[in-house]
Amino acid sequence: YQRRVRGTIVQAEMLSRLALRQQRIATRHLSTPAVIANKGNLLLDDAKLAAAVGPDTWAKFKDARASGAACDKQTANAVADAMKEFAYSHGAINYAHWFSPVRGAPQEALNGLKHDSFIDLDFGSSEVIKPVKEDFSGSKLFFNETDGSSFPNGGTRVTHSAAAYMSWDRMSPAFVKGDTLYIPASFVAWTGAALDEKTPLLRSQNAVNEEGLRLLRHLGDTSASQVVSNVGWEQEFFIVDRDLWLERPDLIASGRTLLGAAPARGQQTSVNYFSRLQPRIKALMDEWCAAQIESGICSSVFHNEVAPGQHEQSPVFSLTNVASDQNVLAMELLNDIAAEHNLVPLYHEKPFAGINGSGKHSNWGLNTDTGKNLYAPGKTAETQADFTAFVTALAHAITQHGDVLRCSIAHAGNDHRLGAQEAPPAILSLYTGYNMAEALKGVAYDGADLACYNPAGKQVDFGCTNVSAIAGANEDRNRTAPIPFCGNRFEFRAVGSSQNISFPLAVLNTAVADGLDVISTKIEGGASPRDAVAAVLADNWHGIFNGDGYSEEWQTEAASRGLLNLKDTPAAWAHFDADKNKKLFDKFGVFTAEETEARKNIALEAYTCLLYTSDAADEEDSVDLGGRRIIKKKKITK
């Protein structure tokens, strides 16, 4: 009787929620024209800001942004006033510098903010008790502060030396969410030490710009004035019913199930993959993607993933620091909208045993301001030579700096995922595809010209008259590779679903900048561009692998090639503060030696927070971290 009553109540609640959802959707008009008409409505992009401040102020702002200089007071105030008016027009009553402290798992991409009001005291008043006035000046736009010692900082801040500051990332537009104007910001200590995910990424973008232009000049390109990194992320996640989630303290506390039995059916025959979305999920995804588009995110696709209850959503690529902000915003929006549907998203890399985990594949590339995609070979000798040189720099990055790249995706959640069920292995290697490998081999060993790779694509015939043949990619897809070529970009597949993509891409940018520097240095030492690229390519050929990354044979072969197989987080992070890595980050201004050590400390602290500790743990089931026994896996006997 009690079960029947409870079932009736639950059914009534579900019907009530369904009615509310239908009412909400009806008022939002989620038709394609209406959604597109609202695109970027809540985003103060460059076009809107330029129109609001006028051409003279906009020119001064752009010049300051490009050079890195501070805006003059008049320009800063004009920009701040335009932001305030934009915020008011969308009902905002607060503003917030939205920053990315290095929090650690289980949901690493969790930004920080405090809500400030658009008011202050009128200090120009002669009254003893100053009256309140409306105020949002340039000084408030470009400066905010908080306590840095309360955030994970690895020893760079302490309670008696705690000052930390936020300032707007001028390439990442402000936007309105709810009743608050969000200002994407960097977060640093009083000493200038980075306390966030964003600042190292911005520094790495400076490095890849400088080294990219340097090499392009050696290759004959005198037109480009900027090289930027772009990325398109693919967010995977699980969705569960909120009422069921509330009954699982393991999911609430750790983001993954620690107890339970495997279902009678898992992901056999991939029945969930690209299948029809359930109506409840489809309604959630429609509303979520409409909210993203209104916030300026070019959300282009979503679908069911392989595992039951697993889904994926992807936007079109953007500038890397902007894309990173957009990803965090998308996750926040999903949390909010899912709650309205009585659902909960799970971002943990492996919330359920025995089925696929979730990643955040990051489709990364380099582009110039003149329209070149440096990881698309193109049709001319110039673009093909650029392509070969920049692929060589990436091969150097992965082969020589695989240890820090492994660290960038090493955390407790990803340890459960890497190396199986369409997640790449812990061995970092570059997949070029067989056709590109043959072309590059000619450059490295046979004296071939840099303009060596001119893919024509593969004609794919369906074998029937109703469907015409199509032009497929020149290379097959390798889903066992951590960083495969995808036709006009490289996909960093090893990034975990809970991560803020800023840190992995900061490390990738830095490592590639080093590869570009090595090639340019050889040219400046007297080598021809062809010979310099060939030498670096030959030196790093052992980092290119086009086979099955899941196979046991690859682990043996990788060891014989001298490639590291850092199977878990402690093993990976033991390498992060090695002297060569401190020099790498310091050379390109991404991390000081102190910041490098701090990142390691933060990562290991986050790792231990998610695992059991015991002084009497068995040697086979634990790893030593500074005298503490950290149990890798808790065994449960029935």
Side-chain angles (χ1 to χ4, degrees):
Y1 172 76
Q2 289 178 337
R3 283 197 300 269
R4 286 199 303 272
V5 170
R6 184 173 182 270
T8 301
I9 293 172
V10 169
Q11 186 178 23
E13 289 177 348
M14 290 179 64
L15 290 171
S16 175
R17 291 182 190 126
L18 179 61
L20 288 172
R21 177 183 63 78
Q22 290 173 335
Q23 181 182 6
R24 184 171 63 250
I25 290 174
T27 58
R28 287 179 61 94
H29 303 296
L30 291 184
S31 66
T32 298
V35 170
I36 293 175
N38 278 333
K39 67 182 187 299
N41 182 47
L42 299 176
L43 183 75
L44 182 60
D45 59 19
D46 276 3
K48 293 175 187 174
L49 183 57
V53 300
D56 293 340
T57 298
W58 177 245
K60 291 178 182 178
F61 173 76
K62 279 188 70 178
D63 287 344
R65 184 171 70 177
S67 67
C71 293
D72 63 72
K73 184 175 181 179
Q74 183 179 7
T75 301
N77 285 341
V79 171
D81 189 63
M83 264 195 201
K84 180 190 68 177
E85 293 305 317
F86 177 81
Y88 285 176
S89 71
H90 291 283
I93 59 174
N94 303 112
Y95 69 91
H97 287 82
W98 189 57
F99 60 103
S100 52
V102 188
R103 294 193 188 272
Q107 184 179 317
E108 299 188 12
L110 182 63
N111 270 13
L113 76 164
K114 63 185 180 77
H115 298 273
D116 288 300
S117 299
F118 293 100
I119 60 171
D120 205 338
L121 297 181
D122 183 1
F123 292 101
S125 170
S126 60
E127 298 296 326
V128 174
I129 300 177
K130 306 299 182 188
V132 174
K133 69 170 185 175
E134 177 190 88
D135 182 71
F136 182 64
S137 62
S139 60
K140 291 189 174 183
L141 169 60
F142 289 105
F143 178 88
N144 211 321
E145 62 182 318
T146 188
D147 164 27
S149 66
S150 295
F151 293 98
N153 59 75
T156 57
R157 297 281 77 193
V158 289
T159 308
H160 64 281
S161 302
Y165 306 108
M166 296 91 81
S167 188
W168 178 34
D169 169 10
R170 292 176 286 187
M171 283 302 296
S172 190
F175 58 92
V176 172
K177 179 175 180 283
D179 62 2
T180 301
L181 174 72
Y182 282 59
I183 304 168
S186 282
F187 181 46
V188 300
W190 179 80
T191 59
L195 298 175
D196 62 348
E197 307 276 9
K198 176 185 279 285
T199 301
L201 176 62
L202 297 179
R203 295 171 179 174
S204 77
Q205 290 180 198
N206 289 347
V208 86
N209 174 50
E210 181 178 339
E211 295 302 332
L213 288 175
R214 179 182 167 204
L215 180 55
L216 284 175
R217 295 291 183 265
H218 291 310
L219 295 170
D221 184 338
T222 59
S223 300
S225 60
Q226 190 176 22
V227 173
V228 299
S229 67
N230 289 309
V231 70
W233 44 264
E234 304 172 20
Q235 180 68 59
E236 295 179 334
F237 53 93
F238 285 78
I239 293 287
V240 297
D241 183 274
R242 184 174 182 82
D243 292 335
L244 297 177
W245 178 77
L246 288 171
E247 295 180 7
R248 294 301 300 255
D250 49 355
L251 274 180
I252 295 172
S254 69
R256 61 185 291 256
T257 53
L258 303 178
L259 301 169
R265 182 178 181 86
Q267 60 186 44
Q268 297 93 328
T269 69
S270 297
V271 71
N272 194 60
Y273 194 41
F274 277 70
S275 63
R276 181 181 67 89
L277 274 76
Q278 294 299 315
R280 193 176 176 194
I281 299 298
K282 180 63 164 58
L284 166 64
M285 299 293 267
D286 284 340
E287 191 171 344
W288 178 41
C289 289
Q292 290 183 64
I293 292 169
E294 190 174 12
S295 299
I297 302 171
C298 190
S299 176
S300 62
V301 62
F302 57 82
H303 59 84
N304 278 345
E305 260 297 336
V306 172
Q310 187 184 33
H311 314 281
E312 179 182 302
Q313 185 264 335
S314 307
V316 178
F317 71 89
S318 185
L319 190 67
T320 302
N321 56 306
V322 175
S324 176
D325 288 337
Q326 289 179 343
N327 177 243
V328 177
L329 172 58
M331 295 169 78
E332 291 188 4
L333 288 170
L334 181 57
N335 290 340
D336 294 344
I337 297 169
E340 294 178 4
H341 290 255
N342 206 42
L343 297 167
V344 175
L346 303 178
Y347 299 110
H348 193 286
E349 285 71 19
K350 198 75 170 179
F352 304 105
I355 56 177
N356 278 15
S358 297
K360 187 156 10 196
H361 308 154
S362 297
N363 295 275
W364 170 92
L366 298 177
N367 301 74
T368 71
D369 59 335
T370 54
K372 280 185 180 178
N373 180 345
L374 296 169
Y375 286 113
K379 299 298 182 183
T380 69
E382 178 185 344
T383 59
Q384 290 167 18
D386 293 343
F387 175 81
T388 301
F390 278 77
V391 169
T392 298
L394 179 59
H396 170 94
I398 294 169
T399 307
Q400 302 301 322
H401 302 301
D403 54 351
V404 286
L405 285 167
R406 175 67 180 90
C407 290
S408 76
I409 45 90
H411 56 99
N414 232 9
D415 280 358
H416 293 281
R417 166 180 168 259
L418 294 179
Q421 293 170 317
E422 298 203 357
I427 305 165
L428 271 291
S429 63
L430 178 66
Y431 170 82
T432 61
Y434 294 105
N435 297 318
M436 192 200 304
E438 284 301 311
L440 295 177
K441 191 179 294 183
V443 175
Y445 301 109
D446 299 327
D449 190 75
L450 293 182
C452 63
Y453 186 57
N454 183 19
K458 182 182 183 298
Q459 195 79 351
V460 179
D461 192 344
F462 288 77
C464 61
T465 55
N466 280 13
V467 183
S468 62
I470 61 173
N474 201 55
E475 308 292 348
D476 208 343
R477 298 183 70 178
N478 187 339
R479 304 188 70 172
T480 71
I483 307 180
F485 179 60
C486 296
N488 59 3
R489 65 196 185 279
F490 284 85
E491 183 183 19
F492 197 174
R493 290 181 58 83
V495 180
S497 53
S498 72
Q499 285 191 263
N500 186 312
I501 61 174
S502 294
F503 179 56
L505 295 177
V507 175
L508 181 59
N509 282 345
T510 306
V512 170
D514 189 55
L516 298 169
D517 169 61
V518 169
I519 297 170
S520 290
T521 299
K522 287 183 180 294
I523 296 171
E524 291 159 5
S528 68
R530 197 223 74 85
D531 289 348
V533 171
V536 176
L537 190 54
D539 288 344
N540 295 284
W541 193 260
H542 58 291
I544 297 174
F545 177 66
N546 291 316
D548 182 359
Y550 291 167
S551 67
E552 293 184 8
E553 291 80 6
W554 169 230
Q555 296 191 36
T556 302
E557 183 181 339
S560 70
R561 294 186 183 195
L563 301 178
L564 295 172
N565 185 6
L566 305 173
K567 295 186 176 181
D568 56 33
T569 296
W573 280 94
H575 292 256
F576 190 73
D577 59 349
D579 286 342
K580 85 167 186 73
N581 296 331
K582 288 182 178 178
K583 291 176 181 176
L584 169 71
F585 291 123
D586 185 65
K587 176 181 179 180
F588 295 104
V590 175
F591 287 129
T592 64
E594 181 187 24
E595 287 173 309
T596 301
E597 293 171 355
R599 290 289 155 145
K600 177 181 177 179
N601 292 338
I602 294 169
L604 293 179
E605 179 184 10
Y607 181 77
T608 59
C609 284
L610 286 184
L611 302 178
Y612 294 92
T613 60
S614 170
D615 292 330
D618 184 85
E619 289 289 331
E620 294 181 357
D621 293 329
S622 62
V623 61
D624 192 352
L625 285 180
R628 298 182 73 195
R629 304 307 308 178
I630 307 303
I631 300 176
K632 296 179 183 177
K633 181 171 59 178
K634 185 173 178 64
K635 294 182 177 180
I636 300 173
T637 57
K638 295 181 180 178

